[in-house]
């Protein structure tokens, strides 16, 4: 199942990160879980971190906690953004472009999962696709010019859930009006995110843009609040029990794959990165195998075009 780990038996760890002084990372969803841990590790290495979160109070508390744990001198700030609202994403991106002169990596970490009943965003998208896919797709498109100027990276945090639903994109009913299921649509949203990473790589190559790199990774099974915020009562209960078992790793370890993709030199973009243990739940971080349907070129190309149409914006490659 696992490909030989290029980082040795223990896999990739943040010990490999040297000083990140003068580097800037923009991260979504940092008030808890893997996003919080990623921000903390980057800040501890001297980086500047710009957080994009929807809850200003939680963001303030997060900044206070980070300063308490690290130092008052860390360079961390928050810009309000709700991925469920395209207008909010546009406003936040405008603010980032105005105030953040360089982006070494945009880390798309925020997501929602297992929403019990079909819910639509204000823009009329099914909520899991609206947040996890369309919200991130729009953010990446808007910040792309700054990332390109900075010769930076786009890191998409996917999920092994991409492989738990249908093995393609349901183009004839993107809102899942007919066959909504919490897990099925979560899987679809993560598949869409991952497919667009490899499609972006192809488009960058075709445009001769080799300075920007795009990576896909997954956090494995980590102790985070993801299910707690959006899952049904039963799903939340089962997950709370699972979190107490050895099958699940810490949120800090869950942050390693995205940190690796954001900082590691000469990392092959074609890979899919995460914990490499049984079922890819936990274990040494390295390259994981990706099922062929996640790289289906015909579907990916169509998904990209459908997504550009949905957000009303063409990427400026």
């Amino acid at each position: 199942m696992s490909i030989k780990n290029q980082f040795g038996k223990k896999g990739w760890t943040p010990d490999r990160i040297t000083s990140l002084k003068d580097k800037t990372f923009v991260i979504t969803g940092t008030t808890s879980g893997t996003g919080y841990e990623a921000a903390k590790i980057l800040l501890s290495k001297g980086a500047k971190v710009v957080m994009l979160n929807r809850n200003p109070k939680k963001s303030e508390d997060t900044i206070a906690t980070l300063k308490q744990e690290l130092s008052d001198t860390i360079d961390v700030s928050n810009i309000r953004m709700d991925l469920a609202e395209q207008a909010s994403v546009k406003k936040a991106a405008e603010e980032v472009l105005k105030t953040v002169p360089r982006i070494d990596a945009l880390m798309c970490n925020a997501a929602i999962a297992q929403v019990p009943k079909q819910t639509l965003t204000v823009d009329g998208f099914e909520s899991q696709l609206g947040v996890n896919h369309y919200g991130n797709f729009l953010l990446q498109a808007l910040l792309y010019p700054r990332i390109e100027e900075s010769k930076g990276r786009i890191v998409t945090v996917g999920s092994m859930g991409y492989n738990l639903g249908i093995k393609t994109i349901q183009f004839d009913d993107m809102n899942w009006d007919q066959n909504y299921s919490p897990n099925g649509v979560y899987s679809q949203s993560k598949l869409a995110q991952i497919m667009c990473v490899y499609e972006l790589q192809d488009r960058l190559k075709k445009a001769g843009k080799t300075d920007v790199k795009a990576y896909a990774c997954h956090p494995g099974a980590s102790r985070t609040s993801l299910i707690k915020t959006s899952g049904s009562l039963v799903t939340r209960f089962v997950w709370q029990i699972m979190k107490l078992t050895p099958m699940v790793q810490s949120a800090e370890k869950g942050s390693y794959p995205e940190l690796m993709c954001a900082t590691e030199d000469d990392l092959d973009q074609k890979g899919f990165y995460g914990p490499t243990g049984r079922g890819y739940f936990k274990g040494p971080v390295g390259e994981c195998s990706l099922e062929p349907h996640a790289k289906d070129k015909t579907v990916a190309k169509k998904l990209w075009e459908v997504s550009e149409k949905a957000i009303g914006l063409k990427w400026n490659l």
Side-chain angles (χ1 to χ4, degrees):
M1 193 181 207
S2 170
I3 295 158
K4 190 175 180 230
N5 200 320
Q6 69 186 96
F7 301 107
K9 254 188 203 170
K10 291 188 176 171
W12 188 94
T13 68
D15 298 343
R16 289 181 61 89
I17 304 175
T18 50
S19 168
L20 295 175
K21 195 177 177 299
D22 302 326
K23 291 197 180 288
T24 303
F25 298 83
V26 177
I27 319 181
T28 67
T30 61
T31 55
S32 65
T34 53
Y36 172 81
E37 298 296 343
K40 185 177 166 185
I41 290 168
L42 291 169
L43 288 162
S44 75
K45 303 281 185 178
K48 171 181 176 172
V49 170
V50 180
M51 313 189 301
L52 301 178
N53 296 303
R54 65 182 170 183
N55 186 321
K57 174 73 176 83
K58 273 189 182 175
S59 304
E60 248 174 68
D61 293 347
T62 300
I63 289 173
T65 306
L66 287 166
K67 287 189 170 179
Q68 205 178 338
E69 291 197 17
L70 297 169
S71 147
D72 257 350
T73 60
I74 56 170
D75 192 344
V76 59
S77 58
N78 182 70
I79 291 171
R80 191 194 171 274
M81 182 186 75
D82 187 346
L83 280 167
E85 298 173 17
Q86 299 262 300
S88 173
V89 175
K90 286 174 185 167
K91 193 178 173 192
E94 205 177 301
E95 184 68 15
V96 170
L97 293 172
K98 205 188 297 175
T99 58
V100 183
R102 66 176 289 132
I103 299 174
D104 290 280
L106 167 63
M107 300 163 70
C108 296
N109 167 83
I112 59 171
Q114 279 89 28
V115 176
K117 287 193 175 80
Q118 187 202 38
T119 310
L120 300 183
T121 68
V122 291
D123 304 291
F125 302 132
E126 184 286 318
S127 63
Q128 295 186 79
L129 271 159
V131 170
N132 302 351
H133 175 53
Y134 292 127
N136 280 304
F137 190 74
L138 176 63
L139 180 67
Q140 292 171 10
L142 292 168
L143 295 185
Y144 172 76
R146 182 60 37 87
I147 296 165
E148 188 187 9
E149 282 166 24
S150 314
K151 299 183 179 177
R153 305 178 182 200
I154 293 172
V155 178
T156 293
V157 180
S159 159
M160 285 307 296
Y162 84 89
N163 198 30
L164 298 177
I166 62 170
K167 308 296 188 238
T168 188
I169 299 296
Q170 186 172 283
F171 290 115
D172 59 346
D173 181 12
M174 291 291 276
N175 274 355
W176 292 68
D177 294 325
Q178 307 304 319
N179 55 338
Y180 184 84
S181 83
N183 286 319
V185 184
Y186 174 67
S187 174
Q188 183 84 159
S189 71
K190 286 293 164 181
L191 176 60
Q193 277 191 279
I194 290 168
M195 290 190 104
C196 281
V197 173
Y198 300 106
E199 179 62 16
L200 173 59
Q201 289 175 6
D202 287 350
R203 286 171 183 255
L204 286 168
K205 196 175 171 185
K206 198 176 170 189
K209 308 279 180 79
T210 52
D211 286 337
V212 176
K213 291 184 166 63
Y215 291 98
C217 62
H218 74 93
S222 310
R223 292 185 193 98
T224 71
S225 61
L226 178 62
I227 305 286
K228 193 171 82 180
T229 48
S230 46
S232 70
L233 198 59
V234 175
T235 308
R236 293 201 303 254
F237 177 72
V238 171
W239 180 239
Q240 287 308 115
I241 301 293
M242 259 188 82
K243 280 189 345 191
L244 303 173
T245 72
M247 286 169 74
V248 177
Q249 63 182 356
S250 66
E252 184 193 338
K253 284 199 171 152
S255 74
Y256 289 3
E258 63 185 285
L259 285 166
M260 174 177 75
C261 290
T263 62
E264 183 66 34
D265 288 337
D266 305 319
L267 193 64
D268 183 5
Q269 293 181 81
K270 296 287 177 217
F272 179 54
Y273 298 97
T276 58
R278 182 187 286 181
Y280 295 157
F281 272 42
K282 59 182 204 174
V285 171
E287 188 176 344
C288 304
S289 57
L290 189 68
E291 293 302 316
H293 70 274
K295 283 191 173 181
D296 184 315
K297 182 65 187 164
T298 311
V299 177
K301 185 174 180 290
K302 184 174 178 182
L303 173 64
W304 186 279
E305 288 159 3
V306 164
S307 302
E308 282 189 329
K309 197 174 172 189
I311 65 168
L313 181 74
K314 273 196 181 298
W315 279 61
N316 184 19
L317 296 176

